[in-house]
Amino acid sequence: LAKYLAQIAVCQGEHKPCGACKGCHLATVGSHPDIETIAIEEDKKTITVGQIRDTKNMAYLSSHTADCRVFIIEKADTMNSSASNSLLKVLEEPPANTFFILLVESKSSLLETILSRCTVLSLFAPSKDEALQYILSKTDFDEKSVIDALNQSNNNIGKSLELLSGAKLSKGVKIAEEYLNLIEQNLELNALKETIPIEGNRLAANDFTKQLKELLLKKVKDNINLKESQKEYLKMYDIVSKMDPLLITNINLTLFFTLRTSNLVNIKN
């Protein structure tokens, strides 16, 4: 939710988040220069006052590409009194166009003076049956695997999907790698065959698209000294990204993959 709210803030499209603009692309891959995530440092147990001071300094700098800056503070309820008071000062006189998103397990651990300056959103895990039915309706995971994941994550749907997807990650990467390899060889029909196993699963289609975009970004970085190749991969990345919003519509996935594959092959030609 925090990442989604941050994406809304930096989105440059009319309907936010549009999923197609540069701001959305950068937010999705976790590299937007105006979104900062502050997490507990390695070998530490709390968010430190030093981290909050650094955050305050960054908050008063101008944004890079968006019209605002967003700071996500994970486990904000671990701040000690010094860190909390330091944060309170910037919340009392916040810089213009700056958003702070504080993630906590218990809001009672925050200072009342901090809470009074925040809009509180309380999230609760669904019942096991609600979470089970939701995941089964959106994915092709078997019921036993879903129940095991829910038991491990205390019925948290997002964490359960991460656990379930982790088991399939290597397979998903292999499909995306083979698909891109066939695109590079102009083997359109062969590439389409790679998408057949996921044509009936919209969540798998989203995961496949994410893996494909990461591979294309890697290609862009790897070809930094080969300008023509780099431009080609950037065009391919743009095509994949611009078609992303179609996945949240009722578009037939067979048609979706056919259109996208054709567009990608046309770039190679």
Side-chain angles (χ1 to χ4, degrees), residues 49-239:
V49 65
Q51 287 178 283
I52 298 301
R53 286 171 180 164
D54 290 341
T55 299
K56 287 168 56 180
N57 291 335
M58 288 189 289
Y60 286 99
L61 299 176
S62 299
S63 57
H64 296 279
T65 60
D67 294 328
C68 64
R69 301 202 71 175
V70 182
F71 296 90
I72 301 173
I73 304 178
E74 297 181 350
K75 297 186 181 299
D77 46 347
T78 68
M79 293 186 297
N80 60 23
S81 58
S82 295
S84 296
N85 286 320
S86 183
L87 177 64
L88 178 60
K89 290 179 181 178
V90 73
L91 294 181
E92 288 175 334
E93 297 181 13
N97 301 319
T98 303
F99 300 96
F100 293 90
I101 301 176
L102 280 58
L103 305 183
V104 303
E105 291 188 5
S106 173
K107 66 179 183 180
S108 62
S109 300
L110 292 176
L111 295 177
E112 283 295 332
T113 43
I114 288 180
L115 276 177
S116 66
R117 288 165 174 79
C118 297
T119 298
V120 179
L121 298 178
S122 298
L123 305 180
F124 302 93
S127 69
K128 182 173 292 184
D129 186 60
E130 289 173 330
L132 174 64
Q133 295 307 316
Y134 177 84
I135 294 176
L136 290 177
S137 70
K138 299 294 184 180
T139 72
D140 59 355
F141 295 116
D142 64 272
E143 185 171 331
K144 183 180 182 304
S145 296
V146 176
I147 291 175
D148 288 342
L150 288 170
N151 288 336
Q152 293 180 58
S153 65
N154 194 29
N155 301 339
N156 184 300
I157 291 176
K159 290 181 179 178
S160 295
L161 288 173
E162 287 180 3
L163 290 170
L164 291 163
S165 298
K168 287 191 171 183
L169 182 59
S170 59
K171 182 179 178 181
V173 171
K174 287 181 180 179
I175 293 176
E177 287 177 342
E178 184 60 24
Y179 176 84
L180 183 56
N181 180 50
L182 292 167
I183 292 292
E184 291 172 326
Q185 298 178 61
N186 291 327
L187 298 174
E188 184 173 347
L189 292 179
N190 296 65
L192 273 174
K193 288 179 181 178
E194 292 294 319
T195 66
I196 291 176
I198 56 177
E199 286 180 352
N201 187 326
R202 204 163 290 272
L203 183 62
N206 275 305
D207 290 338
F208 168 71
T209 296
K210 179 182 178 181
Q211 297 298 332
L212 182 59
K213 288 167 68 175
E214 290 181 358
L215 287 173
L216 287 170
L217 283 176
K218 185 177 186 302
K219 291 281 188 180
V220 170
K221 293 177 182 178
D222 291 345
N223 286 273
I224 192 169
N225 295 320
L226 300 172
K227 297 302 181 183
E228 290 304 315
S229 294
Q230 189 182 51
K231 287 180 181 178
E232 193 173 83
Y233 287 116
L234 276 172
K235 288 180 180 178
M236 294 172 75
Y237 179 85
D238 284 341
I239 283 176

